[in-house]
Amino acid sequence: MMNPYDFTWMFGVTMVFAFLDAYGIGANDVANSFATSVASGSLSLAQACIVACFTEFLGALLLGSHTADTIKGGILSVRRFTEIPEVLMLCMTCAIIGSSTWVVFATKNGWPVSTTHSIVGAVLGVGIAAFGGNSINWGWTGVGQIICSWFLSPVFAGIIAAIIYSITKYAILRQKDSIKWAIRVIPVYFFFTTAIEAFYLIYKGAPGTQASKMSVGVIVGIAFGIGAFFALFAVIFFCPWLKRRVVGREEIRWYHIFVIPFLSPRPVINKLPNTKESASNPEEVVELGNTEHKAFGNNEKEDQSVSEQDGSVEQEHVEEAPEKPRWVQWKDKILSILLHGVRKDVRNLNNSHIMSVHDAAEIYDSDVEYMFSFLQVITACMASFAHGSNDVSNAVGPLSSVFDIWQTAEVDVTGKVPVPIWILAYGGVAIDIGLATFGYKIMRVLGNNITLFTPTRGFSAELGAALTVLTCSKLGLPVSTTHCITGATAAIGLCNGKLSAVNWKMLAWCFFSWIATLPAAGLTAGLLFSFAAYAPSIF
């Protein structure tokens, strides 16, 4: 008979691997939210990590659910453990080990996987090991939904993303005066984007609030009010700022948006090269906060050519440089380790293996693309905030189950366990660390490695994925955010009208990783449970 605070070692092991699982969620799932923003150049990798650290942590801490499912996915009945709570502790410990090791392994190999499916697969494995295959819910409400989501999620998200991008392409990008059309239509995009994201956040992404008790009509009214506010903001502040910044070439910064109606004329920056010609180079992108558009990669090539032509002089200069003090050397080493994950090149613009994929993409006016970078960042931030409130439960759910049983020595037959605030914060910190140190792996894959991304393409993919998750969840259909963004990315590539605009080999690896998630996590967790539960004992 188990007593409170027995098996403390299991609680300690679960603490360690719950952190690792949340770390993997940050490196894999969260990277999905910002992969297209970084790939298109709307945000740098460092900027994306900084923004995500706030949105994910605050989403987990402020809106994270204070209850979690005792057994994720409902595929195994919790009533089987009412008389043996210590076995449920062991099951959850093995499940979190199996889930975390698979997610980190997949991330290391650049495979975008569903962390929800990973923990469900791990529970599936320990359930079979403990009670046999008949104990598992193989029907539609259990494993059947997961298998369905492999196909449903990418197809639905791809269709919606393609519709959004096609409207943008024909209504704005292909118009004769695309800049003027963009300025006219952007307030409409602000309205629909913020309204949809607000509805998504309130309806599905705020389990820690009373939003679940609101009627759909009330939530729609709130979302439309938020959308109207941002549309008005775009009309009064953002569009005039864009007109002076892009058309007038005035030297104004992003923070001038809020005072643009009262801002006197500013100096005009040097006229840029023809944007159509410069945009034909896929390295031509824009970065938020700069005083002028910046052609990424061009400066690097120039620096490399100068170094090659005058390598001897540079080498002599390096040799003559005095040795740095030891404390400076240690500081540089420490910074190199800490910033390792944000100094990676994840855009793959100079990758010769996928150059043909990028060459097949249509290129439009970079000034118009720049205008959509702001919308893309807003979409990524709100999706990340909602993700932090929802998917943190994948890591903290098993930990909360083990913590509750460790304290009470009982199993709650309702299937719900309380989630303390410190566990939410614990998971939020781990998610942020995972993104900052290892997120570049998935960003590199889901960005320009599948198809060439620009701000309009990235915005359409992100909004399409978010809208798919919202709609399918309302209809009770199973979806995965990872699968949705992958499907949306492929569909955006196909909108170029060429099959060669999509890296099909990379997509095949992604699909393989989805299918492998259940058996890989389940096998690891199930074998570990079997070794622990059925091993010979000397007592």
Side-chain angles (χ1 to χ4, degrees):
M1 183 68 180
M2 180 182 176
N3 296 313
Y5 303 106
D6 282 350
F7 304 104
T8 302
W9 68 269
M10 270 199 279
F11 172 57
V13 171
T14 308
M15 281 281 293
V16 173
F17 282 93
F19 188 91
L20 185 63
D21 200 40
Y23 177 92
I25 291 173
N28 204 298
D29 259 15
V30 180
N32 298 337
S33 300
F34 287 92
T36 55
S37 296
V38 176
S40 67
S42 294
L43 287 174
S44 68
L45 179 57
Q47 288 172 334
C49 289
I50 292 171
V51 172
C53 281
F54 285 98
T55 54
E56 287 287 334
F57 181 77
L58 292 176
L61 189 65
L62 300 179
L63 297 182
S65 177
H66 294 284
T67 60
D69 292 332
T70 305
I71 298 179
K72 186 72 176 180
I75 61 174
L76 182 65
S77 174
V78 71
R79 295 183 182 275
R80 292 179 178 271
F81 300 94
T82 52
E83 301 297 327
I84 45 173
E86 65 275 16
V87 176
L88 180 56
M89 278 186 74
L90 179 61
C91 283
M92 292 298 101
T93 301
C94 295
I96 202 70
I97 294 175
S99 174
S100 60
T101 51
W102 168 249
V103 171
V104 172
F105 174 78
T107 304
K108 183 180 183 299
N109 288 279
W111 300 340
V113 296
S114 171
T115 54
T116 302
H117 291 181
S118 181
I119 189 64
V120 170
V123 171
L124 182 72
V126 296
I128 293 175
F131 303 106
N134 292 331
S135 64
I136 302 300
N137 180 4
W138 298 100
W140 174 253
T141 58
V143 179
Q145 282 193 351
I146 298 172
I147 297 175
C148 179
S149 72
W150 295 342
F151 308 95
L152 193 68
S153 299
V155 171
F156 276 21
I159 292 173
I160 296 176
I163 292 173
I164 295 172
Y165 180 67
S166 297
I167 293 173
T168 305
K169 181 167 71 171
Y170 291 106
I172 298 175
L173 297 176
R174 286 193 173 181
Q175 293 295 324
K176 186 175 182 180
D177 195 346
S178 56
I179 293 179
K180 184 180 294 184
W181 276 98
I183 293 176
R184 289 173 180 170
V185 178
I186 274 181
V188 179
Y189 275 83
F190 260 87
F191 173 79
F192 282 106
T193 301
T194 52
I196 289 172
E197 294 290 356
F199 188 91
Y200 172 58
L201 188 62
I202 297 170
Y203 179 75
K204 187 174 185 296
T209 68
Q210 298 298 315
S212 59
K213 297 181 180 179
M214 295 182 185
S215 65
V216 175
V218 172
I219 298 175
V220 169
I222 294 174
F224 271 56
I226 293 173
F229 170 79
F230 278 97
L232 192 62
F233 173 83
V235 171
I236 299 174
F237 297 98
F238 184 66
C239 287
W241 180 88
L242 273 181
K243 192 171 183 179
R244 292 175 61 173
R245 171 75 170 82
V246 178
V247 180
R249 300 295 190 199
E250 291 187 39
E251 191 174 4
I252 52 179
R253 299 295 189 98
W254 64 269
Y255 47 79
H256 290 135
I257 293 176
F258 307 100
V259 294
I260 198 67
F262 317 103
L263 192 66
S264 59
R266 311 281 289 186
V268 177
I269 61 176
N270 294 331
K271 185 173 177 60
L272 299 174
N274 185 281
T275 52
K276 288 282 185 182
E277 295 176 2
S278 59
S280 64
N281 184 345
E283 294 172 359
E284 176 71 24
V285 297
V286 293
E287 184 177 25
L288 295 180
N290 287 358
T291 55
E292 58 181 348
H293 298 269
K294 180 179 180 182
F296 280 42
N298 293 342
N299 295 339
E300 294 178 4
K301 289 183 178 180
E302 292 175 4
D303 293 342
Q304 291 173 1
S305 61
V306 171
S307 298
E308 291 173 0
Q309 294 172 5
D310 199 16
S312 59
V313 176
E314 185 178 358
Q315 184 65 30
E316 291 175 3
H317 177 71
V318 172
E319 292 176 354
E320 294 175 359
E323 186 178 356
K324 295 179 180 179
R326 184 168 295 275
W327 72 270
V328 175
Q329 295 179 15
W330 277 105
K331 182 197 72 171
D332 292 343
K333 288 181 180 179
I334 293 173
L335 286 177
S336 177
I337 294 172
L338 293 177
L339 300 179
H340 169 77
V342 298
R343 288 178 171 175
K344 295 289 186 179
D345 173 28
V346 299
R347 302 196 62 218
N348 277 334
L349 293 177
N350 296 318
N351 190 336
S352 59
H353 298 291
I354 55 175
M355 194 63 70
S356 60
V357 175
H358 292 178
D359 290 340
E362 295 180 273
I363 302 297
Y364 300 101
D365 195 327
S366 61
D367 286 341
V368 178
E369 296 284 0
Y370 176 77
M371 295 179 181
F372 276 85
S373 59
F374 295 86
L375 278 170
Q376 186 182 10
V377 172
I378 291 174
T379 306
C381 289
M382 297 188 73
S384 175
F385 194 77
H387 176 274
S389 65
N390 273 312
D391 285 16
V392 69
S393 64
N394 292 336
V396 303
L399 175 58
S400 299
S401 297
V402 171
F403 180 63
D404 185 62
I405 296 172
W406 178 66
Q407 283 186 313
T408 64
E410 295 177 352
V411 174
D412 190 344
V413 294
T414 63
K416 295 288 185 180
V417 291
V419 181
I421 192 71
W422 69 267
I423 289 184
L424 287 174
Y426 183 72
V429 170
I431 286 175
D432 289 344
I433 295 175
L435 174 67
T437 57
F438 218 38
Y440 67 89
K441 290 277 189 179
I442 299 301
M443 287 190 183
R444 185 178 290 164
V445 170
L446 284 180
N448 292 317
N449 202 28
I450 293 180
T451 190
L452 178 65
F453 265 111
T454 57
T456 52
R457 291 182 172 98
F459 159 75
S460 302
E462 289 172 2
L463 187 58
L467 188 56
T468 301
V469 172
L470 166 66
T471 306
C472 291
S473 297
K474 172 61 180 174
L475 297 175
L477 301 175
V479 291
S480 164
T481 52
T482 301
H483 302 171
C484 284
I485 193 65
T486 305
T489 299
I492 293 297
L494 290 176
C495 285
N496 291 295
K498 303 175 184 176
L499 291 175
S500 58
V502 176
N503 185 350
W504 296 103
K505 183 178 179 180
M506 190 68 248
L507 277 180
W509 275 110
C510 291
F511 191 74
F512 162 77
S513 67
W514 300 349
I515 297 176
T517 295
L518 280 184
L523 190 63
T524 303
L527 287 175
L528 191 62
F529 176 86
S530 297
F531 277 120
Y534 305 127
S537 174
I538 63 175
F539 300 104

